[in-house]
Amino acid sequence: MKITVIDGQGGKIGKAIIEKIREKNINSEITAVGTNSLATSQMLKAGADNAATGENPVVVSCRKADVIMGPIGIMVADSMLGEITPKMAEAVGQSDARKILIPVNRCFEVAGVKEMSLTQYIEEAVRLLTTKIS
């Protein structure tokens, strides 16, 4: 299974997702795509198989992914302090890959989502991933 993890800022969420996938020994090829080099570096350190930075790598990796994971902002143009370009958000949204997103309630909120810690959201995201592959 090809998993693309997309993150920006400092890469904290993407790093935690990759660490949890590796901890659960999920058989997958993980491609980390950061909107900046710091985020990419953090996700690579967490155990990603491949890594790249920027808009075009997001577009290309979304075409090849079976699953896309990251904060919910990766689907919203100009989110994450402007790091998500309209082309990135479009690539994620139009991808045929299953999207498993972490609801980060900084700029917007998702109705019906219960309040949990970031760690709990990541646990739930990886649990969803394991149910989709079994």
Side-chain angles (χ1 to χ4, degrees):
M1 170 180 4
K2 293 183 179 184
I3 301 172
T4 293
V5 179
I6 303 170
D7 199 6
Q9 306 284 293
K12 178 181 176 181
I13 293 172
K15 178 182 183 219
I17 290 170
I18 293 167
E19 288 173 343
K20 188 57 66 175
I21 292 170
R22 292 299 184 215
E23 178 184 303
K24 300 282 185 184
N25 292 315
I26 297 170
N27 184 21
S28 59
E29 178 185 333
I30 301 174
T31 299
V33 184
T35 60
N36 62 63
S37 59
L38 177 59
T40 304
S41 174
Q42 290 301 309
M43 291 189 286
L44 193 56
K45 287 177 189 174
D49 297 299
N50 310 294
T53 302
E55 182 178 80
N56 199 57
V58 168
V59 172
V60 171
S61 67
C62 285
R63 277 189 240 140
K64 298 177 179 181
D66 297 311
V67 177
I68 298 171
M69 300 181 77
I72 196 167
I74 64 174
M75 290 192 64
V76 180
D78 298 329
S79 66
M80 297 169 63
L81 298 176
E83 289 188 29
I84 301 297
T85 67
K87 194 171 182 179
M88 289 173 168
E90 180 180 34
V92 173
Q94 289 183 345
S95 174
D96 289 335
R98 174 167 291 283
K99 290 109 179 141
I100 301 177
L101 306 172
I102 307 297
V104 180
N105 294 328
R106 281 198 185 134
C107 299
F108 46 84
E109 293 187 43
V110 180
V113 174
K114 63 184 176 184
E115 284 294 319
M116 296 190 300
S117 69
L118 181 57
T119 301
Q120 290 170 313
Y121 280 131
I122 291 168
E123 286 276 351
E124 177 63 12
V126 174
R127 187 195 65 74
L128 280 172
L129 176 65
T130 59
T131 64
K132 300 304 173 193
I133 61 173
S134 50

